[in-house]
Amino acid sequence: MTQVQLYQLVYKSKASKEFDAANIGEFLSIIQNANKQLGITGLLIFDGEHFLQVLEGRFSVISKLMSSIQLDPRHSHVVTLLKEPIPKREYEQWAMQLLAKRPESMAKIIDETERLAKILEQYQEGDSVSRSRLIAKAFIDGAWRFNTEQNSLIKSKKSPRPVKAIQLQLHQNYAHNFAFQPIVDLELMQITALEALIRGDDGSSPYELFGKLTPPQLHKLDVDSKRTALEMFSEMKYEGLMSLNLLPLSLVEYPDSVQMISQYAQHLGLNPDNVIIEITEQEAIDNHDEFNKVADLIRAHGMRIAIDDFGAGYAGLSLLAEFQPHKLKIDRSIVLGVAEHGPRQAIVGAITYVTSRLGIEVIVEGVDNEQDLKWLISAGITQIQGFYFAEPKIKGIPDVTWPSFLVNN
C-alpha cells in the first residue's frame, strides 16, 4: 500500500498589529519564494484584516510550516479549517496567488466577491467539488469572519456571586455515593446548577460500578440512587438547580420514577421546579413514542429536561427533533480544542443557531482551558461546565475558580 505523502491544509487567521497591510505585495513575494523552495502550492486570500491560506505539499513540510505560522507574531487566532490527504495538487502553480484585498466600499466588496468566485472556479476539475474552494468562497462571503475578538462579556468584569463550599459529614449513612460539579453562568457570574454524578463507594469512576451490573440491575440502580442525590441536595441546603442523570431506558423501564423523584424532592423540602433530568444521548432510544410519554410526564411534574453529551451518541439531531428539551449540553469531544479547530467551531455555531430558534438553553461541557473558554464566550455561550472552573467534589459543593479576565480587580 502506497503511503500518502501529499496533504492539503486550509487555515484562517487574523492579521496582528505587527502586520503592515500596506506591504502586502512585498509580504506575498517573500512567502512565494519561500514556499517554492519548500514545494508548497496554494492560495492566499487577504481581506485587509483576515487571512485564509490553502497550503499543499508533503505532510512533514506542511506540519512544520503550520507550527511556525502559529508562532508568527504577524498572525493571531490561527484556526485550522481543513487538513486531509489529496491524490494530487489542486493548485498546480508554484507558491501562492493572492486573491483578495478588501475594497473600501460595499459595492466594490460585492464586485470583488463575484470576481473571486469566478477565479476559484478555474481550480475545479470536471464536476467534482473542491472542499478548499468551497471554504475559500465561504471566507470571501464572510462566513468565517467571526469569533476573532472577545465580545463585550469579557470586558464587563462583573463580580461573581459566591456559593459557599460545603462538605457533608462523612459519617452520614447514604445508600449511594455522589460527587457534585457546578454549572456556571458567566453572564450572571454565579453557579446556576449542580450536577450529581454517581461514584463507587470508594469514589471510583461510575464506569467501574456500571460494568459489574446487568442491564436490569443498571437501570434499577440508576433510578434508586436518585433518592440519595436528592437527600444530599437537601443536606447541603442548596437552593439552585439540581441536575440528575438518568438513562433513557431507565425512565422507560421505570415510568413511576418520574413521580417518585418529584414526590421525594417535595418530601425533602426541595422544589421539583429546580430539578433537571439529564437524559444522556449515548444510549439509543428504541421506542420514541413511549419515551415521549415519559418526557411529557417530566414536564407535567414541573421538572426540566436536558439532553446530556449531545454530539457523542447515537440519536443526535433525530433526538432533538423528536422532543425539545429545556437545555442541551454539548459534549466535551466537540468542545476540546475548539479555539483552533474550524470544523468544531462550525458545529458549535450550528448547534447554537438551531437551539436559539427553538428556545433551548445551551450548556457546554468539558471546558478545561482558557483558550477554549474565550472562544466559547465570543460565540455567545455563557453557561459552562468543566475542570477549568471546578472538578467534581465527593459529597459536597466545590470552590469555583473564576477566570481573572472576568473578575473585578
Side-chain angles (χ1 to χ4, degrees), residues 11 13-16 27 51 53 69 72-78:
Y11 76 90
S13 64
K14 184 182 179 187
S16 69
F27 171 74
F51 295 99
Q53 192 164 18
I69 287 171
D72 191 329
R74 294 172 296 184
H75 294 261
S76 65
H77 302 87
V78 179

Side-chain angles (χ1 to χ4, degrees), residues 191-326:
I191 295 174
T192 55
L194 287 178
E195 181 179 2
L197 304 165
I198 194 167
R199 295 289 186 262
D201 292 338
D202 58 354
S204 59
S205 163
Y207 299 107
E208 294 183 32
L209 178 64
F210 293 163
K212 302 173 184 177
L213 304 176
T214 63
Q217 291 173 329
L218 171 61
H219 295 306
K220 187 175 189 306
L221 170 66
D222 190 31
V223 171
D224 290 346
S225 64
K226 299 308 176 282
R227 291 178 180 271
T228 300
L230 291 171
E231 289 168 2
M232 289 185 174
F233 277 123
S234 177
E235 289 291 327
M236 291 188 294
K237 308 298 181 185
Y238 179 67
E239 297 179 352
L241 298 177
M242 301 165 279
S243 282
L244 303 176
N245 289 283
L246 279 161
L247 298 170
L249 290 183
S250 297
L251 291 168
V252 172
E253 293 294 327
Y254 295 90
D256 291 341
S257 60
V258 173
Q259 184 174 354
M260 179 274 290
I261 291 172
S262 176
Q263 290 180 347
Y264 199 60
Q266 294 177 69
H267 170 73
L268 295 170
L270 300 173
N271 190 345
D273 291 348
N274 287 348
V275 176
I276 304 170
I277 304 297
E278 293 194 16
I279 310 299
T280 180
E281 194 212 342
Q282 291 181 341
E283 183 175 333
I285 301 171
D286 294 325
N287 192 329
H288 282 255
D289 291 337
E290 192 170 354
F291 178 77
N292 279 334
K293 292 178 183 177
V294 176
D296 287 342
L297 193 59
I298 292 173
R299 293 188 178 97
H301 279 82
M303 295 184 289
R304 313 181 195 204
I305 304 173
I307 296 180
D308 194 15
D309 301 330
F310 187 79
Y314 306 102
L317 293 175
S318 64
L319 178 59
L320 187 60
E322 285 293 325
F323 78 103
Q324 287 72 55
H326 297 89

